[in-house]
Amino acid sequence: MVLESIARIIKVQLPAYLKRLPLPETVGGFAKLTVSEWLRLLPLLGILALLGYLTIRPFLPKKKKQKDSLINLKIQKENPKVVNEIDIEDLKSTNACYCRCWRSKTFPVCDKSHIKHNELTGDNVGPLILKKKVL
């Protein structure tokens, strides 16, 4: 029943609709169309515009989200440059992990926020690991 209805629309109603459209024979004829004739053309023009857009859409450049292009979203934004200095001699443990993804809640120390960041963005950033040689 559904296929029969679709077949009737395509075989009978669509050709009848297209025959009733006020399509001029020349490009200049479009300028002579009345408002009511333009309104009758709008559904067809809308469908053609949609099909054209869907055809070229895969070839359009992808827009980057501005938020994704920023690395540091919230750490020391009031400073023109974020710099943290740590003397290696001051390391209390033999290993220290420092954040490089800027998502750590304990910045500059890594809290493994890069794992979620990498999953969301496809990035491959990891921490800076400092190892203290034990003599």
Side-chain angles (χ1 to χ4, degrees), residues 90-109:
D90 294 340
L91 289 178
K92 293 180 175 58
S93 64
T94 56
N95 289 338
C97 295
Y98 292 98
C99 177
R100 291 193 301 175
C101 73
W102 294 84
R103 304 299 190 267
S104 175
K105 305 258 187 289
T106 58
F107 191 86
V109 178

Side-chain angles (χ1 to χ4, degrees), residues 57-63:
R57 186 174 162 198
F59 304 104
L60 295 174
K62 304 283 189 254
K63 292 182 180 177

Side-chain angles (χ1 to χ4, degrees), residues 61-117:
K62 304 283 189 254
K63 292 182 180 177
K64 290 184 179 179
K65 294 178 185 175
Q66 182 64 27
K67 193 173 184 180
D68 288 346
S69 64
L70 293 175
I71 296 171
N72 179 9
L73 300 177
K74 59 187 176 201
I75 308 294
Q76 299 178 21
K77 294 301 276 185
E78 67 279 0
N79 295 337
K81 186 191 277 188
V82 179
V83 177
N84 296 93
E85 288 186 20
I86 298 168
D87 289 329
I88 295 176
E89 294 81 20
D90 294 340
L91 289 178
K92 293 180 175 58
S93 64
T94 56
N95 289 338
C97 295
Y98 292 98
C99 177
R100 291 193 301 175
C101 73
W102 294 84
R103 304 299 190 267
S104 175
K105 305 258 187 289
T106 58
F107 191 86
V109 178
C110 177
D111 68 357
K112 299 188 180 181
S113 294
H114 60 274
I115 295 171
K116 184 177 179 185
H117 166 77

